[in-house]
Amino acid sequence: MSTADLKYKLNQIKSDIFTLNEKARLVCVCKKFPANVYETLMECGQKDLAENYVQEAIEKRRLLAQEKQSQVNWHYIGKIQSNKIKDICQYFSVIHSLDQIKHAKKMNQVLTELNKELNVLVHVNLALEEQKSGIKKESLSQFLIDLQPFNKLHCIGLMTFPPYQENPQHNRVYFKALRELLENNRRFVRDEEKFIHLSMGVSSDYKVALSEGATMIRLGRSVLGDREKLG
């Protein structure tokens, strides 16, 4: 994909963001795309980049010049594994998929050693899909209370990933539910002013998510095209 084509796609999506929720931002998912996609996206002004797999992210990031690495907001959106927590803490600045207190505890310990702080979002599995991680909505309040002692973690919001629907409007119920959970659980976090983000909406349904208050939309295919076609 040429830089000109990518700029065109990004401008289209940013137009949707401006129209539907100008406070939102695009997080571009680079999973399974080659390392040169980072530089191409940065040339187009895109600084929020996300990965699903820790090792892939590390290997690709090492090919990016050091000064450029510091210009990116690195988002981790994959499932958290205990043996990858040290790398997650070292290489990312925003975590979208926190769903276990034991992971939060270990992350806080690692971050203390690194003298670093991280922004995290709690993954809520609203559709109760067994193949997906995330906590149940009924567990959210207590989960947020249990997070409070971990001072190196700043809980900035919630994330959800509802099922694919032929009609994206069918996911509106999940996006609305996540927004209501955010509004109703502010009192359970350490810093209410930071607890403002809704990470929801992917290529197939991001316009619906934006209309329901998404502040971060996670897009891969609609920006970069099919993975096997990007050279």
Side-chain angles (χ1 to χ4, degrees):
M1 181 187 300
S2 69
T3 301
D5 288 340
L6 184 55
K7 281 184 177 179
Y8 177 76
K9 285 193 172 186
L10 286 170
N11 286 336
Q12 282 185 312
I13 293 166
K14 289 177 180 178
S15 176
D16 292 334
I17 291 174
F18 182 81
T19 301
L20 295 168
N21 183 5
E22 61 183 19
K23 295 181 180 179
R25 70 181 193 253
L26 166 64
V27 177
C28 192
V29 181
C30 302
K31 174 183 71 175
K32 298 300 183 183
F33 285 106
N36 62 8
V37 75
Y38 288 164
E39 293 217 24
T40 306
L41 284 164
M42 292 179 71
E43 287 175 13
C44 296
Q46 179 62 31
K47 299 295 180 65
D48 287 285
L49 307 180
E51 292 284 358
N52 291 65
Y53 305 114
V54 177
Q55 197 57 42
E56 177 188 347
I58 292 172
E59 291 171 1
K60 287 161 60 173
R61 181 170 165 173
R62 284 173 179 163
L63 298 176
L64 190 64
Q66 191 67 40
E67 65 272 15
K68 290 187 177 181
Q69 291 184 31
S70 63
Q71 297 171 15
V72 172
N73 297 317
W74 299 99
H75 297 251
Y76 182 71
I77 63 174
K79 182 176 175 61
I80 297 174
Q81 297 175 296
S82 294
N83 64 341
K84 298 292 186 182
I85 283 178
K86 186 173 182 179
D87 286 335
I88 289 173
C89 290
Q90 183 174 351
Y91 288 98
F92 295 90
S93 53
V94 185
I95 311 301
H96 291 240
S97 48
L98 184 63
D99 64 357
Q100 294 189 47
I101 290 299
K102 68 175 183 179
H103 289 161
K105 181 179 181 180
K106 185 171 182 179
M107 290 170 72
N108 199 68
Q109 292 170 342
V110 171
L111 290 165
T112 300
E113 295 169 2
L114 294 173
N115 192 26
K116 181 181 177 181
E117 298 179 358
L118 273 181
N119 290 327
V120 299
L121 297 99
V122 177
H123 180 188
V124 185
N125 186 344
L126 290 171
L128 300 178
E129 295 178 275
E130 292 184 2
Q131 74 274 24
K132 292 181 182 176
S133 54
I135 66 170
K136 296 179 180 179
K137 64 179 181 180
E138 295 82 7
S139 304
L140 178 61
S141 298
Q142 188 60 52
F143 190 92
L144 294 173
I145 292 170
D146 292 342
L147 272 183
Q148 289 188 24
F150 304 126
N151 63 324
K152 294 297 185 180
L153 298 176
H154 301 291
C155 188
I156 63 171
L158 306 175
M159 184 272 273
T160 198
F161 186 20
Y164 172 78
Q165 308 270 11
E166 288 290 340
N167 182 351
Q169 290 294 337
H170 291 165
N171 276 339
R172 185 177 296 276
V173 62
Y174 300 115
F175 300 143
K176 182 178 180 181
L178 196 71
R179 173 166 50 83
E180 291 174 350
L181 283 173
L182 185 81
E183 294 168 355
N184 294 335
N185 283 277
R186 292 186 190 280
R187 66 188 184 277
F188 299 119
V189 299
R190 191 172 62 247
D191 189 343
E192 294 186 33
E193 292 185 1
K194 291 183 178 179
F195 191 66
I196 59 174
H197 288 288
L198 292 168
S199 172
M200 58 188 194
V202 294
S203 292
S204 59
D205 56 18
Y206 74 89
K207 292 182 182 180
V208 179
L210 285 169
S211 69
E212 288 295 339
T215 62
M216 300 182 195
I217 53 172
R218 311 180 305 271
L219 307 187
R221 175 176 49 80
S222 57
V223 176
L224 299 170
D226 294 331
R227 287 175 173 82
E228 66 271 19
K229 293 182 180 178
L230 190 66

